[in-house]
Amino acid sequence: MTSRRELKNYAKQAMSGKYGILILAFVAVQALALISSMISSALFPGEETIDIVLSYAFTFILTLLINVVAAGMNYMYLNIARGKVYSLNDLFYFYRHHPDRVIVAGFFMAVLNLLTMLPYTIYSNANLPGEDASVEVLITWLYTGVVLMIVGMIVYQILVIPLEMTYYILADKPELKSTESMKESLEMMHGNFGRYLMLKISFIPLMFLSVFTFYIALLWIFPYMAMTEVMFYRDLTGELKVQKEEEERAARDYVNPMFDSHSQSEQSQEEQTHPQQFWRMPEEPVSYENEDEQNITDNTEMQNVQADMDDKKEQNDSAPKEEEEDNEPKPWDEYFDSLK
């Protein structure tokens, strides 16, 4: 299990040198969402109930279509995280590979979002202050609407967490249907709900700090969040563990030759300093399978020692005889003595 800090470090490493295309993809998706909202407002500008319903229906349909592009952005992030080839063309990946799967999954999430935001929608439209409303009424309406909106967003984020891995699963497994991918996401997130929730909460301080940059920093924060979520998915599938093992193995392969060469140089230097040793390591004792074999070996060694002693004794006994034989007079010595 990889910690939040490690996930964020992996996300930063994957994003290094690629901020331009990541920000451009994020801006493209947000621009499509903004354009769809503007088109909806332009087509249905009335404040009557029918206009409001048609406006929401039109926006809902456009949101489903734009969601296919957003899923393509997740596919591009996944390619970047894995070190594969990527481009802005990845945004339209699901349009070329069974877009109906993303539309069905997006429809379920959009309905969930609609239900959680329904109290805010009803209140903001039903209790809209008139032109002659006082400042206190406007402040109360605005305050209540913001609270309902924040509560709806929080409830939606909590409910949708088990389905967050759906688009990544669809990208990795094109053969799965949308319902099967959502089911697999539920199984994958089982027991990891708290980890993922805390991961999302850990980005809230960065969002507050973006106020001091006039929200320009959000162009970096949101891609950073998305890449960290990709790393979370790779951690759930076991890819990140394999990557960490490969990095550790590469580090060992890089470090070990250095230590080996260092030890070899020390050994050669020691041999030059002490070329000859006057001692040697004692030999290891010989092990025998049974007692009879040991007795036979001992008797053989004793016989060899006794034979060596006998040979030495014979050599000592034969040495004086040779001297005596050398001292005995030879026949030619007697001949020369008679001449004298």
Side-chain angles (χ1 to χ4, degrees):
M1 185 179 296
T2 308
S3 64
R4 291 196 301 272
R5 179 176 297 180
E6 289 178 321
L7 291 174
K8 292 180 179 180
N9 288 335
Y10 277 114
K12 292 176 183 177
Q13 292 175 8
M15 295 174 65
S16 179
K18 308 176 184 68
Y19 291 107
I21 191 170
L22 291 172
I23 292 174
L24 187 59
F26 172 74
V27 171
V29 174
Q30 297 303 316
L32 289 175
L34 179 61
I35 291 172
S36 67
S37 178
M38 294 173 60
I39 293 174
S40 177
S41 300
L43 292 177
F44 308 99
E47 296 181 358
E48 297 181 0
T49 305
I50 185 64
D51 292 329
I52 295 174
V53 171
L54 291 176
S55 176
Y56 273 104
F58 184 77
T59 304
F60 184 80
I61 295 173
L62 289 181
T63 301
L64 292 179
L65 298 177
I66 295 171
N67 200 37
V68 180
V69 180
M73 184 177 66
N74 291 340
Y75 173 75
M76 187 186 75
Y77 277 53
L78 196 59
N79 287 336
I80 293 175
R82 290 170 173 169
K84 295 183 178 180
V85 179
Y86 62 93
S87 66
L88 286 176
N89 196 32
D90 293 337
L91 296 177
F92 305 99
Y93 170 80
F94 284 104
Y95 274 112
R96 300 188 301 267
H97 298 82
H98 305 289
D100 56 302
R101 299 182 303 146
V102 178
I103 292 174
V104 172
F107 176 81
F108 181 82
M109 295 182 189
V111 170
L112 191 63
N113 186 25
L114 181 64
L115 293 176
T116 54
M117 298 298 294
L118 192 60
Y120 162 75
T121 304
I122 294 174
Y123 176 81
S124 60
N125 289 287
N127 299 289
L128 186 65
E131 296 179 356
D132 56 345
S134 63
V135 177
E136 293 181 357
V137 174
L138 289 174
I139 293 175
T140 302
W141 174 80
L142 182 63
Y143 176 78
T144 306
V146 169
V147 170
L148 289 175
M149 181 180 66
I150 293 175
V151 171
M153 292 174 61
I154 293 174
V155 173
Y156 171 74
Q157 289 296 327
I158 293 175
L159 293 177
V160 83
I161 282 178
L163 301 174
E164 288 281 358
M165 304 296 116
T166 300
Y167 295 142
Y168 302 119
I169 295 172
L170 288 174
D172 282 339
K173 300 178 179 180
E175 71 279 1
L176 289 183
K177 297 180 180 179
S178 56
T179 54
E180 294 173 343
S181 63
M182 287 190 289
K183 182 179 179 181
E184 186 170 338
S185 178
L186 290 172
E187 295 174 354
M188 187 178 293
M189 292 298 293
H190 180 71
N192 296 287
F193 182 91
R195 275 184 66 210
Y196 191 76
L197 180 61
M198 294 304 297
L199 180 65
K200 295 180 89 57
I201 292 175
S202 66
F203 287 99
I204 293 178
L206 287 177
M207 294 182 181
F208 280 117
L209 291 176
S210 67
V211 176
F212 298 100
T213 64
F214 300 99
Y215 300 102
I216 297 175
L218 292 177
L219 295 176
W220 175 82
I221 293 173
F222 282 117
Y224 178 36
M225 291 176 57
M227 185 61 72
T228 307
E229 292 172 4
V230 170
M231 294 301 172
F232 187 87
Y233 167 75
R234 296 184 67 216
D235 185 41
L236 294 180
T237 58
E239 287 183 34
L240 215 55
K241 181 180 179 180
V242 175
Q243 181 178 340
K244 290 169 64 175
E245 292 176 352
E246 291 178 354
E247 291 175 354
E248 292 174 356
R249 189 181 303 110
R252 287 196 302 268
D253 293 341
Y254 176 77
V255 173
N256 286 340
M258 296 175 61
F259 282 104
D260 291 342
S261 61
H262 181 67
S263 61
Q264 290 175 2
S265 61
E266 287 183 349
Q267 184 177 0
S268 61
Q269 184 178 0
E270 184 178 356
E271 291 177 355
Q272 293 176 3
T273 307
H274 305 285
Q276 294 182 353
Q277 300 289 349
F278 59 89
W279 56 272
R280 62 180 180 178
M281 296 295 292
E283 297 180 355
E284 297 181 357
V286 181
S287 60
Y288 300 95
E289 295 181 356
N290 50 51
E291 187 175 356
D292 294 336
E293 183 179 354
Q294 183 177 0
N295 293 334
I296 293 171
T297 305
D298 294 339
N299 292 334
T300 304
E301 291 178 355
M302 291 178 65
Q303 291 175 5
N304 293 334
V305 172
Q306 185 65 34
D308 292 338
M309 293 176 64
D310 293 339
D311 293 339
K312 291 180 180 179
K313 185 176 180 181
E314 290 178 359
Q315 292 176 1
N316 293 333
D317 293 341
S318 61
K321 292 180 180 179
E322 290 177 357
E323 292 178 357
E324 292 177 358
E325 291 177 357
D326 292 338
N327 294 329
E328 289 181 359
K330 300 296 187 295
W332 49 273
D333 291 335
E334 294 178 356
Y335 176 72
F336 281 105
D337 288 339
S338 62
L339 292 177
K340 294 179 181 179

